[in-house]
């Protein structure tokens, strides 16, 4: 029997008013893979991630996470199934330190009760210390250069993105959905994120990333799905997808821009 997929999406549909943002999308993400969700602006990628993570309800379609149906469940229930995510537009809480922000990611796994928190019982104190230690380890692991005590909102753009990743990892997910994790990062910073993803995959995580940096996708993604206008255009390795004329047209326009394609090929060759 074949292995259960980490994420399986069948016939996903989402409309906003008259706009079909997601039109009959299928997605098959193998466990322990780094999977790219690609496509030009407005293709429907973020909407798919919003639906998988429960932030939007689909109009139609089936979603399974490690074989369990999750479509229609609220975000906190989907988080309990082991799905965490980051956002395209960084969402940090004003006035919170890096350490506090990362620690919030562990919230839904905590065992203590509200009464325990109010009374600050020994179990509560021990759990808080465990969460803080774990958050510190994650801050180091994702390569945040700022102090854990710094206000998260004052960090550089790259560090803010890393805080988001660390916060998502604090939930100890089995599947991590990353919406443009390297946006605004330079090549070295992006590669560092790529290396982090490799390390996470080696530990058994499944990573799904929306990513526009083709060099990164080529180097780190095992497989990709390319979307355009809400539909799936191609599935496979990036190289195979880029051979498809409709994928090239979606990215570069009808009069296929040979120079841009050549630039991309050169980038892939490194
Ligand atoms: N809440 C919403 N209400 C109305 N329209 C929306 C909403 N969210 C997304 N859309 C529209 O749905 C389409 C798909 O958007 P989506 O953000 O999923 O695309 P994307 O592939 O992630 O694009 P980008 O790379 O620019 O983030 C777009 O036309 C967008 O304007």
């Amino acid at each position: 029997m074949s292995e259960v997929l980490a994420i399986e999406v069948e016939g996903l549909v989402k409309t906003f008013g008259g706009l079909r943002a997601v039109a009959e999308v299928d997605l098959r993400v193998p466990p322990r893979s780094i999977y790219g969700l690609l496509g030009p602006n407005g293709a429907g990628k973020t909407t798919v991630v919003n639906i998988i993570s429960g932030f939007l309800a689909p109009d139609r379609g089936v979603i399974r996470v490690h074989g369990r149906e999750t479509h229609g469940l609220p975000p906190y229930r989907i988080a309990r199934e082991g799905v965490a995510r980051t956002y395209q537009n960084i969402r940090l809480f004003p006035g919170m330190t890096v350490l506090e922000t990362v620690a919030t990611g562990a919230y839904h796994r905590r065992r203590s009760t509200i009464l325990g928190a109010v009374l600050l019982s020994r179990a509560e104190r021990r759990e808080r210390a465990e969460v803080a230690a774990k958050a510190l380890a994650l801050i180091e692991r994702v390569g945040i250069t700022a102090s854990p005590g710094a206000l998260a909102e004052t960090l550089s753009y790259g560090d803010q993105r890393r805080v988001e990743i660390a916060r998502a990892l604090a939930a100890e997910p089995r599947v991590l959905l990353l919406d443009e994790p390297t946006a605004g990062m330079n090549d070295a910073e992006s590669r560092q994120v790529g290396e982090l993803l490799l390390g996470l995959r080696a530990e058994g995580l499944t990573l799904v990333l929306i990513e526009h940096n083709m060099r990164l996708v080529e180097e780190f993604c095992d497989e990709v799905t390319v979307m355009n206008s809400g539909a799936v255009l191609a599935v496979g390795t990036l190289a195979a997808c880029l051979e498809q004329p409709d994928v090239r047209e979606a990215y570069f326009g009808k009069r296929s821009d040979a120079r841009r394609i050549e630039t991309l090929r050169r980038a892939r060759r490194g």
Side-chain angles (χ1 to χ4, degrees):
M1 211 179 87
S2 61
E3 200 171 15
V4 175
L5 294 166
I7 300 273
E8 187 176 18
V9 171
E10 282 174 6
L12 197 66
V13 174
K14 181 71 186 176
T15 49
F16 296 111
L19 177 81
R20 269 198 137 198
V22 177
E24 302 290 349
V25 163
D26 294 343
L27 201 60
R28 297 170 63 80
V29 181
R32 293 176 300 283
S33 64
I34 303 179
Y35 200 96
L37 193 51
L38 313 186
N41 290 339
K45 308 177 296 291
T46 296
T47 305
V48 168
V49 163
N50 283 341
I51 294 172
I52 293 173
S53 53
F55 288 81
L56 277 178
D59 296 344
R60 214 169 61 226
V62 175
I63 300 171
R64 294 186 196 90
V65 176
H66 293 113
R68 286 163 64 110
E69 289 192 356
T70 58
H71 48 274
L73 293 179
Y76 77 93
R77 289 283 311 280
I78 294 177
R80 278 195 201 149
E81 293 296 329
V83 179
R85 66 167 301 178
T86 67
Y87 298 88
Q88 186 176 0
N89 302 314
I90 296 170
R91 294 184 179 188
L92 298 174
F93 306 114
M96 269 181 138
T97 67
V98 171
L99 182 64
E100 288 164 347
T101 306
V102 174
T104 60
Y107 176 72
H108 80 274
R109 298 194 72 86
R110 296 181 65 193
R111 295 175 297 272
S112 302
T113 59
I114 291 174
L115 186 62
V118 171
L119 299 176
L120 215 59
S121 65
R122 199 178 328 156
E124 172 71 20
R125 280 199 300 271
R126 190 174 52 235
E127 191 169 28
R128 282 190 186 187
E130 279 169 16
V131 166
K134 197 167 79 178
L136 276 174
L138 283 172
I139 287 166
E140 193 172 334
R141 173 153 199 204
V142 303
I144 293 167
T145 52
S147 152
L151 288 179
E153 77 226 58
T154 64
L155 266 47
S156 70
Y157 196 67
D159 264 351
Q160 289 194 9
R161 289 230 165 265
R162 293 183 196 100
V163 168
E164 282 239 312
I165 296 173
R167 177 172 60 184
L169 288 173
E172 298 181 9
R174 293 175 74 194
V175 177
L176 178 56
L177 311 171
L178 299 140
D179 197 344
E180 301 195 24
T182 69
M185 289 187 182
N186 63 30
D187 275 357
E189 291 174 320
S190 299
R191 275 198 60 87
Q192 191 233 3
V193 170
E195 299 290 343
L196 172 69
L197 300 187
L198 288 182
L200 294 170
R201 184 185 64 181
E203 287 170 20
L205 259 78
T206 304
L207 295 312
V208 178
L209 67 152
I210 296 177
E211 183 57 64
H212 289 290
N213 180 337
M214 290 296 165
R215 190 186 279 230
L216 199 79
V217 172
E218 170 66 10
E219 190 168 351
F220 294 101
C221 287
D222 301 305
E223 209 182 328
V224 304
T225 283
V226 184
M227 291 180 66
N228 190 34
S229 304
V232 171
L233 273 190
V235 179
T237 63
L238 178 66
C241 291
L242 285 174
E243 293 302 321
Q244 280 190 218
D246 50 354
V247 171
R248 296 213 294 259
E249 189 180 314
Y251 268 105
F252 308 119
K254 229 176 179 46
R255 286 184 302 129
S256 151
D257 181 338
R259 259 183 47 212
R260 288 180 70 183
I261 290 173
E262 191 42 43
T263 308
L264 209 79
R265 286 218 170 99
R266 274 207 301 275
R268 287 203 274 121
R269 286 196 293 266

